Amino acid sequence: MDRKVILITGASSGMGKETAKALIGQGHTVYTVARRIEQMQDLESLGGYPIQMDVTNERDIQNVVDTIILKEGKIDVLWNNAGYGLYGAVEDIPVDEARKQFEVNLFGLASVTQKVLPSMRKAKSGTIINTSSMGGKMYTPLGAWYHASKHAVEGLSDCLRLELKEFNIHVVVLEPGIIVTEFGDVMLQNISAFSSKGYYASLTGKLIAATKKMYDSGRGSKATVIANTVSKIVKSEKPKTRYRVGLWAKPMVWMRIYLGDSLFDKIVMSQV
């Protein structure tokens, strides 16, 4: 097997952790980073290399990349997976909170990419996987800032793919659907904090109820579907530009593209 050096951000839980376990098990050299290093000790016991890092801290990022290059001489795969969902009405969300959403979901992703690229260009080889979402192609009420950040990831990734083609560096967009992770809990915390009162109380209550019902029923896909998909990307010499996986990912994006705004609006609102 072609063993690769892989860097995964946002690996302390959910999709990142599950995938890291799978890749370590396949014999790859896997570096995992997150703010909560205490939640990655199990990865170290499996043979991974956890390092504490905040994707919004430039010095943190540079130190991690330098450490990996010094030890391994290269980074074959970068998976920009760190992110979270800020939910609440546009009128209610403080702009400073919206900036934090973009700092993590977009600018953090871009900063890690910038610091990994010199070694990939030198090697004329590499794969960058950017975690977007089905939410990068469609929208839901009270999710404006989250969706905006993921739409931005889509645009950045498309431009980056064209820029890096001559260096034989692949850029892949991962578009998960509903995956059973901590994402739902964080989303509900944000809604409760920013939009539980006032003019949007009715809509907020309906969205909270619908979200809890969905997650409590266990209807979301397991994180293993992401692990299997990323493993496939890592192995591929010519990965696809997009991988849309998990509950609702393909049908929701299909409906957004082909049904038009008015009909899609009705479908989305019928769920809340």
Side-chain angles (χ1 to χ4, degrees), residues 72-88:
E72 309 294 343
K74 63 176 183 174
I75 296 174
D76 296 304
V77 179
L78 165 63
W79 180 19
N80 284 307
N81 177 61
Y84 71 99
L86 176 65
Y87 272 68

Side-chain angles (χ1 to χ4, degrees), residues 79-108:
W79 180 19
N80 284 307
N81 177 61
Y84 71 99
L86 176 65
Y87 272 68
V90 172
E91 186 177 349
D92 290 342
I93 296 284
V95 173
D96 280 348
E97 289 296 328
R99 288 194 180 98
K100 289 178 186 176
Q101 174 81 123
F102 271 77
E103 285 292 341
V104 174
N105 288 10
L106 181 68
F107 298 123

Side-chain angles (χ1 to χ4, degrees), residues 167-238:
F167 303 110
N168 193 37
I169 300 170
H170 303 288
V171 178
V172 177
V173 181
L174 184 62
E175 297 174 338
I178 298 170
I179 311 294
V180 179
T181 66
E182 290 181 347
F183 180 90
D185 294 333
V186 175
M187 168 187 165
L188 290 172
Q189 288 171 13
N190 286 325
I191 293 176
S192 298
F194 296 116
S195 288
S196 58
K197 300 176 182 178
Y199 297 107
Y200 306 96
S202 176
L203 179 59
T204 299
K206 291 175 182 177
L207 185 63
I208 289 174
T211 302
K212 285 183 176 178
K213 182 179 178 181
M214 181 183 62
Y215 278 98
D216 290 346
S217 69
R219 288 175 58 204
S221 298
K222 294 182 179 179
T224 50
V225 303
I226 300 298
N228 293 338
T229 301
V230 173
S231 295
K232 184 189 301 183
I233 296 168
V234 168
K235 292 175 185 175
S236 178
E237 291 185 7
K238 292 184 178 180

